[in-house]
Amino acid sequence: MPPTSRKTAPSPGAPKRPGTSPRTRTGTSTADASARRAPRRRGHGDLATPGTAVVITGGGSGIGAASALALAQSGRAVAIWDRNGAAAKALAARCADEHGVAAIGLRVDVTATTSLKSAVRRSRAELGPIGGLVHAAGIGGPAPVSALDEATWDEVLDVNLRAGALLTRALHDVLLDANPGSAIVFISSIEASVGSAFLPAYCASKAGLLGLTRAACAELGPEGIRVNSVCPGAVDTPLLAPLLAMPGAREHLESRTPLGRLAQPEDIASVVRFLLSDDAAYVTGTSLVVDGGMTAVGSV
Ligand SMILES: NC(=O)c1ccc[n+]([C@@H]2O[C@H](COP(=O)([O-])OP(=O)(O)OC[C@H]3O[C@@H](n4cnc5c(N)ncnc54)[C@H](O)[C@@H]3O)[C@@H](O)[C@H]2O)c1
């Protein structure tokens, strides 16, 4: 077990631990200090993609599934966690078949703390060191704030935001063990920055992820774990299907996007893969907007 001091927030005014000092772990081998830090770039193209596995929540569909396939294509083992266990297993089989990587699909509800712990143990046992997390599991919960019920608010915040923190906590030790090169990507949204009248819980949860990204960056940066978010615009996935089924909705969105089309899940997955790779070795605590230019022209 790690020392409790590593899990405990310092009290206000407590002396700050020097940012470069490695944290000592009790009960596990203490690797060289440099192994705890982010890889150091010495030129162009001299850093390989980490050989570690990646956990992808919501990997049974849409952006999570495309991210798992993109990561598998780059040779990384993948643990696909989804509350839809059949979809997770099917996608894992596809990653293994198409890209020859080790892959596991598990039925995991990301809001359940106990299932996270056992999923980490099982994924680590089957895939070896885990050096990445993509939190793509997400739900919409459309309801205007004037008519919002508490259950909807709680469910959306639990899946989209609270789970991001719980997953980070659950995977912290294995990410540390897999260093150098460990990284986390939260799938936020452009709705983190613009208001949508029918999505108050969703907007709040996605904005919260950006705050979590910065806080986790501050804590985990000195340990060499990078934390970033991706903010997609309109992506053609099952989540958006009810909206796209409305007459003229697709055309409306396309007309307001400078690139003239909706994103495909692969457009987001390639950015996720970049952020988890050593090509992004100095990128942490930030978010990348991937929206075809929608927010740049203020047309959301
Ligand atoms: N589609 C878009 O336009 C869009 C835009 C911006 C951000 N996003 C975000 O991207 C992420 C992926 O969305 P998507 O569009 O691929 O949706 P999707 O519905 O295709 O996939 C979401 C997946 O999350 C899983 N999931 C939901 N709740 C879960 C839970 N409690 N535990 C485990 N798995 C759970 C679902 O089973 C599903 O497989 C979400 O966080 C979403 O908010 C989507």
Side-chain angles (χ1 to χ4, degrees):
M1 287 289 288
T4 50
S5 60
R6 192 151 57 76
K7 302 281 188 195
T8 309
S11 58
K16 198 165 179 274
R17 185 172 48 82
T20 51
S21 66
R23 295 182 175 193
T24 307
R25 296 164 52 76
T26 308
T28 58
S29 63
T30 48
D32 181 77
S34 62
R36 294 259 182 260
R37 301 194 195 115
R40 200 173 283 273
R41 181 174 287 282
R42 293 191 184 80
H44 294 288
D46 60 347
L47 289 172
T49 296
T52 53
V54 180
V55 168
I56 303 107
T57 72
S61 175
I63 292 168
S67 298
L69 284 163
L71 288 159
Q73 188 184 32
S74 68
R76 299 190 74 164
V78 286
I80 294 147
W81 298 1
D82 201 294
R83 68 180 174 186
N84 181 340
K89 286 178 177 50
L91 208 278
R94 215 180 132 191
C95 288
D97 289 349
E98 292 182 13
H99 302 297
V101 298
I104 180 175
L106 298 178
R107 183 165 70 83
V108 177
D109 182 336
V110 295
T111 64
T113 313
T114 47
S115 75
L116 298 186
K117 286 180 181 164
S118 62
V120 171
R121 273 197 299 275
R122 191 152 165 218
S123 302
R124 174 69 182 80
E126 296 220 11
L127 303 178
I130 296 171
L133 163 67
V134 181
H135 177 39
I139 56 174
V145 72
S146 56
L148 189 64
D149 63 282
E150 291 175 32
T152 300
W153 174 269
D154 288 347
E155 191 189 4
V156 173
L157 270 288
D158 279 359
V159 176
N160 295 3
L161 176 58
R162 184 170 175 267
L166 295 182
L167 286 156
T168 301
R169 184 181 71 179
L171 282 157
H172 181 209
D173 286 351
V174 292
L175 291 172
L176 209 49
D177 282 340
N179 258 343
S182 291
I184 295 170
V185 175
F186 297 124
I187 306 298
S188 178
S189 168
I190 56 172
E191 309 277 4
S193 309
V194 296
S196 175
F198 290 94
L199 294 169
Y202 186 80
C203 291
S205 70
K206 295 301 183 180
L209 275 179
L210 301 189
L212 177 62
T213 299
R214 291 186 284 264
C217 151
E219 180 191 350
L220 305 182
E223 298 176 344
I225 301 172
R226 297 181 298 100
V227 188
N228 293 289
S229 291
V230 174
C231 295
V235 191
D236 200 345
T237 71
L239 188 72
L240 210 63
L243 175 68
L244 295 179
M246 294 165 73
R250 179 183 291 272
E251 294 71 22
H252 176 72
L253 287 169
E254 287 173 348
S255 72
R256 295 169 77 106
T257 305
L259 288 183
R261 65 173 176 85
L262 266 58
Q264 292 303 308
E266 292 74 20
D267 292 313
I268 314 304
S270 58
V271 177
V272 170
R273 180 171 60 182
F274 159 70
L275 287 172
L276 287 178
S277 80
D278 290 340
D279 283 338
Y282 205 61
V283 183
T284 192
T286 194
S287 59
L288 279 177
V289 174
V290 187
D291 69 350
M294 274 179 118
T295 47
V297 297
S299 65
V300 180

